[in-house]
Amino acid sequence: MIIRIMGEGQYDVANVDQELLQKYDNQVEHAVESGDEEEAKSALNALHDYVISHGTPVSDDYLGSSDVVVPFVDATLTEIAELLTGEGFIPDPA
């Protein structure tokens, strides 16, 4: 799975702990649903940190699309909510 973090690039997260990745995603979703902007930003920061530190940066010449788009770290609650699907940013595993 390729995750694009707006303004930062793309990361391949196929080899990361998917349960932990989903946990971070769920935290963002719950914070947005509760309308807590500070908590949403904190959760989004944790998701960014995890993707950047555990994912593999995708080469600049990669022409494929991203599976998931995550907003930039300073996004507002509204901007975060606009990119969420019914399952957060990352679809829940089947």
Side-chain angles (χ1 to χ4, degrees):
M1 175 186 335
I2 304 293
I3 294 179
R4 173 179 297 284
I5 298 178
M6 295 172 71
E8 295 186 39
Q10 294 177 301
Y11 297 84
D12 184 344
V13 295
N15 295 320
V16 304
D17 181 335
Q18 296 299 309
E19 286 183 29
L20 190 52
L21 181 64
Q22 193 64 53
K23 175 187 157 202
Y24 288 122
D25 183 56
N26 290 341
Q27 289 173 346
V28 175
E29 184 178 17
H30 293 302
V32 170
E33 287 172 355
S34 69
D36 187 336
E37 185 156 10
E38 286 303 312
E39 184 61 33
K41 285 184 175 191
S42 176
L44 184 60
N45 268 310
L47 176 62
H48 278 162
D49 290 348
Y50 186 75
V51 169
I52 290 169
S53 64
H54 292 84
T56 303
V58 174
S59 171
D60 288 339
D61 61 357
Y62 173 72
L63 298 176
S65 62
S66 302
D67 299 300
V68 174
V69 177
V70 175
F72 51 95
V73 75
D74 291 332
T76 65
L77 187 63
T78 301
E79 291 167 331
I80 297 168
E82 287 175 355
L83 289 175
L84 287 174
T85 67
E87 298 182 327
F89 299 115
I90 302 164
D92 294 325

